[in-house]
Short mmCIF file of all heavy atoms in Angstrom, two decimals:
data_model
loop_
_atom_site.label_atom_id
_atom_site.label_comp_id
_atom_site.label_asym_id
_atom_site.label_seq_id
_atom_site.Cartn_x
_atom_site.Cartn_y
_atom_site.Cartn_z
N ALA A 218 -43.68 29.75 -147.04
CA ALA A 218 -44.06 29.27 -145.72
C ALA A 218 -44.97 28.08 -146.04
O ALA A 218 -46.16 28.24 -146.30
CB ALA A 218 -44.80 30.35 -144.95
N TYR A 250 -39.88 27.28 -145.75
CA TYR A 250 -39.95 27.49 -144.31
C TYR A 250 -41.05 26.55 -143.83
O TYR A 250 -42.23 26.74 -144.16
CB TYR A 250 -40.29 28.95 -144.04
CG TYR A 250 -40.33 29.36 -142.59
CD1 TYR A 250 -39.19 29.90 -141.97
CD2 TYR A 250 -41.49 29.26 -141.83
CE1 TYR A 250 -39.22 30.32 -140.64
CE2 TYR A 250 -41.53 29.66 -140.50
CZ TYR A 250 -40.39 30.19 -139.91
OH TYR A 250 -40.43 30.60 -138.60
N SER A 254 -46.55 29.11 -139.07
CA SER A 254 -47.98 29.46 -138.96
C SER A 254 -48.75 28.89 -140.14
O SER A 254 -49.79 28.24 -139.97
CB SER A 254 -48.16 30.98 -138.97
OG SER A 254 -47.25 31.61 -138.12
N THR A 255 -48.24 29.15 -141.35
CA THR A 255 -48.92 28.70 -142.55
C THR A 255 -48.98 27.18 -142.63
O THR A 255 -49.95 26.61 -143.14
CB THR A 255 -48.18 29.24 -143.80
OG1 THR A 255 -48.02 30.65 -143.65
CG2 THR A 255 -48.92 28.94 -145.07
N TYR A 343 -38.27 34.20 -134.98
CA TYR A 343 -39.53 34.49 -135.66
C TYR A 343 -40.28 35.56 -134.86
O TYR A 343 -40.82 35.28 -133.80
CB TYR A 343 -40.35 33.20 -135.76
CG TYR A 343 -41.68 33.28 -136.49
CD1 TYR A 343 -42.09 34.42 -137.19
CD2 TYR A 343 -42.54 32.19 -136.49
CE1 TYR A 343 -43.30 34.46 -137.85
CE2 TYR A 343 -43.75 32.22 -137.15
CZ TYR A 343 -44.13 33.37 -137.82
OH TYR A 343 -45.36 33.40 -138.47
N PHE A 345 -43.31 37.70 -134.45
CA PHE A 345 -44.71 37.75 -134.88
C PHE A 345 -45.56 38.27 -133.72
O PHE A 345 -46.31 37.51 -133.10
CB PHE A 345 -45.15 36.35 -135.33
CG PHE A 345 -46.50 36.28 -135.99
CD1 PHE A 345 -47.21 37.42 -136.34
CD2 PHE A 345 -47.05 35.05 -136.31
CE1 PHE A 345 -48.45 37.34 -136.96
CE2 PHE A 345 -48.28 34.95 -136.93
CZ PHE A 345 -48.98 36.10 -137.26
N LYS A 371 -37.21 36.44 -139.00
CA LYS A 371 -38.39 36.46 -139.87
C LYS A 371 -39.32 37.47 -139.23
O LYS A 371 -39.83 37.26 -138.12
CB LYS A 371 -39.04 35.08 -139.92
CG LYS A 371 -40.35 35.01 -140.68
CD LYS A 371 -40.92 33.60 -140.55
CE LYS A 371 -42.07 33.32 -141.50
NZ LYS A 371 -43.29 34.03 -141.16
N THR A 373 -42.61 39.23 -139.13
CA THR A 373 -44.01 39.25 -139.54
C THR A 373 -44.70 40.33 -138.73
O THR A 373 -45.32 40.07 -137.69
CB THR A 373 -44.66 37.87 -139.37
OG1 THR A 373 -43.91 36.93 -140.15
CG2 THR A 373 -46.09 37.87 -139.88
N GLY A 395 -42.13 39.26 -143.55
CA GLY A 395 -43.14 38.22 -143.30
C GLY A 395 -44.55 38.50 -143.78
O GLY A 395 -45.36 37.58 -143.84
N PHE A 396 -44.88 39.73 -144.11
CA PHE A 396 -46.22 40.00 -144.66
C PHE A 396 -46.10 40.19 -146.16
O PHE A 396 -45.52 41.18 -146.63
CB PHE A 396 -46.88 41.20 -143.98
CG PHE A 396 -47.58 40.87 -142.68
CD1 PHE A 396 -47.28 41.54 -141.51
CD2 PHE A 396 -48.55 39.86 -142.63
CE1 PHE A 396 -47.92 41.22 -140.31
CE2 PHE A 396 -49.20 39.54 -141.44
CZ PHE A 396 -48.89 40.21 -140.28
N ASP A 397 -46.66 39.27 -146.91
CA ASP A 397 -46.48 39.23 -148.36
C ASP A 397 -46.98 40.52 -149.03
O ASP A 397 -46.44 40.95 -150.03
CB ASP A 397 -47.25 38.05 -148.96
CG ASP A 397 -46.98 36.76 -148.21
OD1 ASP A 397 -46.25 36.79 -147.20
OD2 ASP A 397 -47.51 35.72 -148.64
N GLU A 398 -48.04 41.09 -148.44
CA GLU A 398 -48.65 42.28 -149.04
C GLU A 398 -47.76 43.52 -148.88
O GLU A 398 -48.06 44.58 -149.40
CB GLU A 398 -50.05 42.53 -148.45
CG GLU A 398 -50.17 42.52 -146.93
CD GLU A 398 -50.34 41.12 -146.34
OE1 GLU A 398 -49.67 40.18 -146.80
OE2 GLU A 398 -51.13 40.98 -145.38
N MET A 399 -46.63 43.36 -148.15
CA MET A 399 -45.70 44.47 -147.94
C MET A 399 -44.30 44.11 -148.39
O MET A 399 -43.33 44.73 -147.93
CB MET A 399 -45.69 44.85 -146.45
CG MET A 399 -47.08 45.16 -145.93
SD MET A 399 -47.09 45.43 -144.16
CE MET A 399 -46.30 47.02 -144.11
N ILE A 412 -40.50 35.51 -146.62
CA ILE A 412 -41.03 34.17 -146.32
C ILE A 412 -42.54 34.36 -146.25
O ILE A 412 -43.00 35.21 -145.48
CB ILE A 412 -40.51 33.64 -144.97
CG1 ILE A 412 -38.98 33.49 -144.99
CG2 ILE A 412 -41.20 32.32 -144.61
CD1 ILE A 412 -38.36 33.14 -143.64
N GLY A 413 -43.30 33.63 -147.06
CA GLY A 413 -44.72 33.91 -147.02
C GLY A 413 -45.62 32.78 -147.46
O GLY A 413 -45.21 31.86 -148.16
N SER A 414 -46.86 32.91 -147.04
CA SER A 414 -47.84 31.87 -147.32
C SER A 414 -48.32 31.90 -148.77
O SER A 414 -48.52 30.85 -149.38
CB SER A 414 -49.03 32.02 -146.37
OG SER A 414 -49.74 33.22 -146.64
N THR A 415 -48.48 33.11 -149.32
CA THR A 415 -49.03 33.18 -150.68
C THR A 415 -48.01 32.68 -151.71
O THR A 415 -48.36 32.43 -152.86
CB THR A 415 -49.47 34.61 -151.05
OG1 THR A 415 -48.33 35.48 -151.05
CG2 THR A 415 -50.49 35.15 -150.04
N TYR A 416 -46.74 32.53 -151.29
CA TYR A 416 -45.70 32.02 -152.19
C TYR A 416 -46.03 30.58 -152.63
O TYR A 416 -45.55 30.12 -153.65
CB TYR A 416 -44.32 32.02 -151.53
CG TYR A 416 -43.78 33.34 -151.00
CD1 TYR A 416 -44.59 34.42 -150.71
CD2 TYR A 416 -42.41 33.48 -150.77
CE1 TYR A 416 -44.06 35.62 -150.20
CE2 TYR A 416 -41.87 34.67 -150.27
CZ TYR A 416 -42.71 35.73 -149.99
OH TYR A 416 -42.16 36.88 -149.48
N ILE A 449 -54.61 39.08 -152.64
CA ILE A 449 -54.64 38.93 -151.17
C ILE A 449 -55.87 39.63 -150.58
O ILE A 449 -56.56 39.08 -149.71
CB ILE A 449 -53.32 39.44 -150.54
CG1 ILE A 449 -52.14 38.56 -150.99
CG2 ILE A 449 -53.41 39.48 -149.01
CD1 ILE A 449 -50.75 39.07 -150.59
N ILE A 453 -58.75 37.78 -148.03
CA ILE A 453 -58.85 38.05 -146.58
C ILE A 453 -60.26 37.84 -146.01
O ILE A 453 -60.40 37.20 -144.95
CB ILE A 453 -58.27 39.47 -146.26
CG1 ILE A 453 -56.74 39.41 -146.40
CG2 ILE A 453 -58.66 39.94 -144.86
CD1 ILE A 453 -56.02 40.74 -146.31
N VAL A 457 -57.42 33.56 -145.02
CA VAL A 457 -56.27 33.47 -145.94
C VAL A 457 -55.83 32.01 -146.16
O VAL A 457 -55.67 31.56 -147.29
CB VAL A 457 -55.09 34.34 -145.42
CG1 VAL A 457 -53.82 34.07 -146.20
CG2 VAL A 457 -55.45 35.82 -145.52
N PHE A 458 -55.66 31.25 -145.08
CA PHE A 458 -55.13 29.89 -145.24
C PHE A 458 -56.14 28.97 -145.96
O PHE A 458 -55.76 28.18 -146.82
CB PHE A 458 -54.74 29.27 -143.90
CG PHE A 458 -53.62 29.98 -143.20
CD1 PHE A 458 -53.52 29.96 -141.81
CD2 PHE A 458 -52.65 30.67 -143.91
CE1 PHE A 458 -52.48 30.62 -141.16
CE2 PHE A 458 -51.61 31.33 -143.27
CZ PHE A 458 -51.54 31.31 -141.89
N GLU A 461 -55.98 29.85 -149.54
CA GLU A 461 -54.74 29.39 -150.19
C GLU A 461 -54.84 27.90 -150.50
O GLU A 461 -54.44 27.44 -151.56
CB GLU A 461 -53.54 29.67 -149.29
CG GLU A 461 -53.21 31.15 -149.24
CD GLU A 461 -52.18 31.52 -148.20
OE1 GLU A 461 -51.87 30.69 -147.32
OE2 GLU A 461 -51.69 32.66 -148.27
O1 MN9 B 1543 -45.73 33.54 -142.88
C1 MN9 B 1543 -47.69 34.71 -143.32
N1 MN9 B 1543 -48.07 35.10 -142.04
C2 MN9 B 1543 -49.19 34.71 -141.46
C3 MN9 B 1543 -46.21 34.52 -143.31
O2 MN9 B 1543 -50.03 34.08 -142.02
C4 MN9 B 1543 -49.38 35.13 -140.09
C5 MN9 B 1543 -48.02 35.73 -144.41
O3 MN9 B 1543 -47.60 35.15 -145.60
C6 MN9 B 1543 -49.50 36.06 -144.51
O4 MN9 B 1543 -50.28 34.91 -144.56
C7 MN9 B 1543 -49.83 36.88 -145.76
C8 MN9 B 1543 -51.28 37.30 -145.80
O5 MN9 B 1543 -51.56 38.22 -144.79
O6 MN9 B 1543 -49.00 37.99 -145.78
#
Side-chain angles (χ1 to χ4, degrees):
Y250 184 93
S254 314
T255 308
Y343 182 8
F345 189 8
K371 174 184 192 289
T373 302
F396 276 125
D397 312 3
E398 50 275 41
M399 304 174 73
I412 298 173
S414 67
T415 64
Y416 303 20
I449 295 172
I453 288 172
V457 170
F458 296 152
E461 287 171 347

